[in-house]
Amino acid sequence: MSTASLFNFDNRFRRELPGDPDPRNAVRQVHGACWSDVLPTPVSAPRLLAHSREMAALLDLDEADLRSPEMAAVLGGNALLPGMQPYATCYGGHQFGQWAGQLGDGRAIALGEAVNRAGQRWELQLKGAGPTPYSRRADGRAVLRSSLREFLCSEAMHHLGVPTTRALSLVTTGDAVLRDMLYDGHPADEPGAVVCRVAPSFTRFGHFEIFATRGEHALLARLADFTIARDFPELAATAPAGSETLRAAWFADVCARTARLMAHWLRVGFVHGVMNTDNMSILGLTIDYGPYGWVDNFAPGWTPNTTDAAGRRYCFGRQPDVARWNLERLADALRPLFADAAPLAAGLDAYDRTYAEEAARLFAAKFGLRKWREDDAELAGEIFALLERAEVDMTDFFRRLADVDRAAPAVDTLAGAFYRDDLLRQQRPAFAAWLQRYAARLAADARPDAERRAAMNRVNPRFVLRNYLAQQAIERAEAGDTAPIDELLDTLRRPYDEQPARAQFAAKRPDWARHKAGCSMLSCSS
Ligand code: AMP
Ligand code: MG
């Protein structure tokens, strides 16, 4: 096989934006530049553990290309293909509400922008490929457990229809990485890994914030106009480049995309866990899978991130508010590009409006209603309160709700979604009363049950990457068995299909996983 001509690279980010003239790969503050030259640091023994065939197809790669040792070397950071020009980018961010200064790609190294035969642009990025000028005090590496979680969840989200960065490959490095997983003073060696992430753009809110904070307004304008031209081509055609009109339309579009993303997360029960502004994609993609989690028993206050356990800033139910707060920080950063703040305020209004519309659409769809009526909010609010009080599994509940017989609604249809028999017994009358009202509402909708069921099952997934499932795959992979990764990935390809043979992956969180590290709580150590 020849890997020489696999990709056609057109590295616009590097070509059109200023780079750091200092060639040293040493930790420092980088001023006046969007990126720094840096090569991945080679690893001992790169080996492909898993790959996404859909992402490979989008990059015009076939299985033989991907499985070759030459490709493992590239995806592990040991070799470059013609056209690859590795670099790390400079960004800042607000972390947990505080401005954190320069962050940047501390362990992610872009290889270049591959343009596929269909003309789509896909930036390839190795995460865990070694130190960069932005590594601060860390090692630039990533461990297998967090890499596997990022690899699987990126692809699972894509199949769920949620905007996300993608993952092409998961490679083990053969090197150990030292981590104190629980932050309890017990560091241990873990297997290292590299994920090849893929997205049209990895630009974050923090890329704009860093230049605004430093007063580098010309660079801020250049990055904004570059982003519009490269990443929002359909917008770029609507007004002159560099005009306030275009920049305002762009900010409003970022706001609307972010609103749609929040509605999707709510729909599927995803909690990002670290919604710092450096983890917010300008394209409204889910980005940076760290201590994320999936809601098991419905609880708006639940957060998977142990670092956030006290404040719950990034808990499930707060994500839409946090997204808006983050957009406000982006608006602050973009303020120097506008004569007054009105266009930015209009963008934030677009966030509120879009989120309200999306939430109404999403709730109607989740409950199987043709259209959301104002009084439906009460019906939904009641069941959400009940689901929380009775500790009912969110994913399982909505699949079972689709099975409810409008003519004879029965709590037994839902019983399997309860975690606790005592709470089922205690709350049974409340659920029965709610089901009566729900059935009456469905009757008013006059939609045949079969049609409603099919529609609900298209938006309420049967399979999500439950925390314990990822943890099981990790433990097996650490023991050398990668078959579960492929089986899980294969199941998550069709998350809305019944797939009876894969029922084990739809099972609610087992008891052993309730308080286990990696299943119910995750640290940022990765
Ligand atoms: P995160 O919390 O993973 O989004 O990371 C926040 C910042 O820390 C980003 O600038 C990352 O690049 C950087 N970072 C996280 N882990 C490492 C690591 N092991 N080595 C270098 N930089 C890191
Ligand atoms: Mg990050």
Side-chain angles (χ1 to χ4, degrees):
M1 175 208 78
S2 160
T3 43
S5 59
L6 283 182
F7 298 103
N8 173 29
F9 284 103
D10 175 39
N11 303 328
R12 282 183 73 179
F13 193 92
R14 276 190 69 117
R15 193 171 65 237
E16 296 180 27
L17 292 169
D20 171 12
D22 185 344
R24 288 172 310 136
N25 186 3
V27 171
R28 61 179 178 272
Q29 293 291 306
V30 173
H31 291 272
C34 292
W35 53 271
S36 304
D37 265 318
V38 60
L39 292 173
T41 303
V43 300
S44 306
R47 194 164 65 83
L48 185 72
L49 278 198
H51 72 275
S52 156
R53 65 168 188 244
E54 292 82 6
M55 196 58 239
L58 278 170
L59 293 168
D60 307 324
L61 298 173
D62 61 33
E63 292 286 308
D65 296 333
L66 256 168
R67 290 179 187 280
S68 70
E70 291 92 330
M71 195 54 119
V74 171
L75 298 173
N78 284 12
L80 295 176
L81 295 175
M84 288 179 171
Q85 296 176 297
Y87 59 93
T89 70
C90 180
Y91 57 82
H94 279 83
Q95 300 186 316
F96 293 92
Q98 305 296 322
W99 174 244
Q102 178 182 298
L103 300 167
D105 292 325
R107 56 171 164 174
I109 297 180
L111 296 174
E113 301 166 41
V115 180
N116 69 9
R117 286 196 287 264
Q120 294 170 326
R121 181 176 297 270
W122 292 107
E123 187 170 327
L124 306 182
Q125 193 187 71
L126 299 183
K127 182 168 175 179
T132 76
Y134 308 97
S135 294
R136 296 180 291 159
R137 285 171 304 280
D139 59 5
R141 292 300 184 187
V143 294
L144 177 58
R145 61 182 156 77
S146 64
S147 305
L148 196 158
R149 282 168 50 85
E150 173 141 21
F151 170 80
L152 271 181
C153 203
S154 307
E155 293 305 286
M157 289 290 254
H158 165 72
H159 295 301
L160 282 164
V162 181
T164 180
T165 63
R166 304 288 302 274
L168 172 65
S169 58
L170 172 65
V171 165
T172 45
T173 60
D175 297 324
V177 173
L178 191 67
R179 289 288 182 274
D180 185 3
M181 184 173 90
L182 300 175
Y183 292 143
D184 61 356
H186 295 91
D189 274 343
E190 296 188 45
V194 175
V195 171
C196 181
R197 303 200 286 197
V198 187
S201 166
F202 285 97
T203 301
R204 303 147 189 269
F205 292 7
H207 278 102
F208 301 92
E209 291 179 275
I210 188 80
F211 299 136
T213 310
R214 288 172 170 172
E216 297 180 342
H217 294 166
L219 194 47
L220 174 69
R222 256 180 95 173
L223 179 63
D225 295 337
F226 169 83
T227 302
I228 295 169
R230 190 192 66 168
D231 301 335
F232 295 76
E234 63 299 328
L235 263 190
T238 62
S243 65
E244 251 201 41
T245 312
L246 184 56
R247 290 171 177 172
W250 166 61
F251 179 66
D253 195 31
V254 174
C255 290
R257 284 168 183 255
T258 305
R260 289 194 287 270
L261 182 66
M262 292 307 109
H264 276 296
W265 287 0
L266 199 63
R267 172 173 68 83
V268 299
F270 177 80
V271 190
H272 183 284
V274 203
M275 286 178 72
N276 294 331
T277 55
D278 51 301
N279 291 337
M280 296 292 292
S281 147
I282 204 73
L283 282 176
L285 309 173
T286 312
I287 191 172
D288 275 14
Y289 291 87
Y292 68 82
W294 295 83
V295 170
D296 291 310
N297 53 299
F298 179 80
W302 182 69
T303 173
N305 182 355
T306 51
T307 309
D308 193 32
R312 295 185 188 274
R313 180 181 177 87
Y314 297 143
C315 66
F316 181 48
R318 269 204 206 155
Q319 296 183 122
D321 287 344
V322 171
R324 194 191 199 277
W325 190 89
N326 289 341
L327 284 163
E328 289 164 16
R329 301 293 74 74
L330 178 61
D332 293 345
L334 298 178
R335 181 66 184 79
L337 305 183
F338 295 89
D340 64 70
L344 294 163
L348 293 169
D349 285 346
Y351 176 82
D352 298 337
R353 207 169 47 244
T354 308
Y355 183 73
E357 286 164 11
E358 289 295 319
R361 225 160 51 93
L362 128 89
F363 283 126
K366 279 192 87 67
F367 287 97
L369 304 172
R370 287 185 203 272
K371 210 174 170 316
W372 193 245
R373 296 191 325 212
E374 212 153 294
D375 54 337
D376 289 331
E378 203 185 313
L379 192 67
E382 264 174 42
I383 195 62
F384 285 130
L386 279 177
L387 293 179
E388 185 174 8
R389 199 178 318 144
E391 293 188 21
V392 176
D393 188 85
M394 174 180 165
T395 304
D396 207 33
F397 169 80
F398 279 102
R399 290 296 282 204
R400 289 172 194 273
L401 191 65
D403 294 335
V404 163
D405 179 352
R406 186 173 94 198
V411 178
D412 284 342
T413 312
L414 309 173
F418 285 69
Y419 279 97
R420 288 173 48 178
D421 290 342
D422 57 333
L423 290 177
L424 168 58
R425 239 174 292 125
Q426 191 192 89
Q427 298 294 331
R428 189 177 270 276
F431 274 82
W434 183 83
L435 272 179
Q436 287 300 332
R437 294 185 49 204
Y438 176 60
R441 174 65 181 89
L442 292 178
D445 233 24
R447 192 182 203 181
D449 268 351
E451 183 192 308
R452 173 179 57 89
R453 180 175 189 274
M456 287 173 78
N457 286 348
R458 281 194 295 273
V459 296
N460 296 318
R462 172 157 155 88
F463 299 97
V464 295
L465 184 57
R466 290 176 183 271
N467 312 307
Y468 83 89
L469 293 173
Q471 184 60 24
Q472 284 176 323
I474 288 165
E475 287 170 15
R476 297 275 293 275
E478 286 176 346
D481 178 11
T482 56
I485 305 177
D486 291 329
E487 207 188 347
L488 203 44
L489 181 59
D490 197 46
T491 307
L492 295 167
R493 275 197 173 99
R494 294 183 291 127
Y496 302 100
D497 291 359
E498 211 49 37
Q499 301 191 64
R502 296 282 174 73
Q504 77 269 26
F505 294 121
K508 309 197 295 284
R509 177 197 59 218
D511 259 352
W512 59 259
R514 198 176 166 88
H515 299 294
K516 185 177 154 80
C519 295
S520 60
M521 46 163 192
L522 292 131
S523 76
C524 290
S525 156
S526 58

